[in-house]
Amino acid sequence: MVRRKAEAERREAIIAATIEEIGARGTLDVTVSQIARRARISPALAHHYFGSKESLLLAAMRQILRDYGAAVRRELARAGRPRTRLSAIIRASFGPEHFRPGKVAAWLNFYVLARSNPAAAALLALYHRRLRSNLLHDLRPLTAEDAPAAADLIAALIDGLYLRQALGPGEIDPGAAIALIEAEIDRLTAAPPALASTLAPPLAKETSDG
């Protein structure tokens, strides 16, 4: 039992070091030796736990998604009505544990990984489906048939602000990011239903997360 706990803690430390190293360097072009140095372990031990750099990168990507999912669930547990649930999703998306330069840089580099790695692409697609599903669930009572297009717009704003945080000239204040998206949600939900002609069509067909 003690050994298993120690091994789990060591794996978590290596994953955390991977995220920090990618964030600090702003690239996936990091070595296992650099990650191991940050985690204060030997490269051989990192290889022992993960087998390859690719497996380690995927484990780090899964951890970021797990942390984000947990934050969304915590916020939603405190929300009730659809409008407050939408605010909960936005707060979780820009929480200090996620919307900080190093973490954002690591997350955007995983977008790059997804272009060439099928497993990373599947993880990224899962994130997008879940975000869209959560948004749709609470937009439908407020925007009726315009919900799919509204969900795509809000998701695009979230991605865009992450991109600005990673590549812009300065850091974006999380509170300002939240306020910007909240204002857009207010605009969307205050409008009368059936405004499909004034909103862009949804970017993708609705799919079930299974």
Side-chain angles (χ1 to χ4, degrees):
M1 177 71 78
V2 174
R3 181 179 177 181
R4 284 199 297 270
K5 181 180 179 182
E7 289 179 347
E9 290 174 348
R10 195 168 291 128
R11 286 177 65 91
E12 290 174 2
I14 296 170
I15 290 171
T18 301
I19 295 169
E20 290 170 6
E21 190 69 20
I22 294 169
R25 295 179 180 273
T27 176
L28 292 172
D29 191 23
V30 298
T31 66
V32 173
S33 293
Q34 289 166 337
I35 293 168
R37 190 179 306 117
R38 185 176 286 271
R40 298 183 179 180
I41 60 168
S42 69
L45 191 58
H47 279 292
H48 168 74
Y49 280 110
F50 294 96
S52 68
K53 175 184 167 181
E54 180 178 286
S55 296
L56 183 49
L57 293 177
L58 290 172
M61 188 173 181
R62 289 189 190 96
Q63 187 61 52
I64 286 179
L65 290 174
R66 277 196 296 268
D67 291 345
Y68 173 69
V72 170
R73 289 191 294 274
R74 282 195 304 271
E75 289 291 343
L76 286 175
R78 295 194 288 265
R81 296 178 180 276
R83 182 62 184 84
T84 60
R85 287 173 59 85
L86 290 170
S87 293
I89 295 169
I90 304 309
R91 282 197 305 274
S93 297
F94 294 95
E97 69 272 33
H98 308 299
F99 198 65
R100 53 185 174 86
K103 196 75 166 281
V104 171
W107 177 235
L108 289 186
N109 272 282
F110 289 134
Y111 270 65
V112 176
L113 180 64
R115 293 176 61 86
S116 59
N117 184 293
L123 287 172
L124 187 59
L126 178 62
Y127 156 73
H128 284 138
R129 287 199 305 273
R130 287 181 174 171
L131 175 59
R132 191 169 191 267
S133 177
N134 282 332
L135 292 170
L136 276 172
H137 179 272
D138 296 304
L139 282 165
R140 280 198 182 99
L142 302 171
T143 61
E145 63 264 39
D146 292 328
D152 286 338
L153 177 58
I154 295 167
L157 282 172
I158 293 171
D159 283 347
L161 286 166
Y162 267 73
L163 187 62
R164 285 282 298 274
Q165 179 75 314
L167 303 177
E171 290 186 28
I172 298 174
D173 176 67
I178 291 171
L180 187 152
I181 298 183
E182 287 283 4
E184 185 60 21
I185 294 174
D186 284 343
R187 185 187 71 82
L188 292 168
T189 57
L195 286 183
S197 61
T198 64
L199 287 175
L203 296 175
K205 292 181 180 178
E206 294 182 40
T207 57
S208 172
D209 194 22

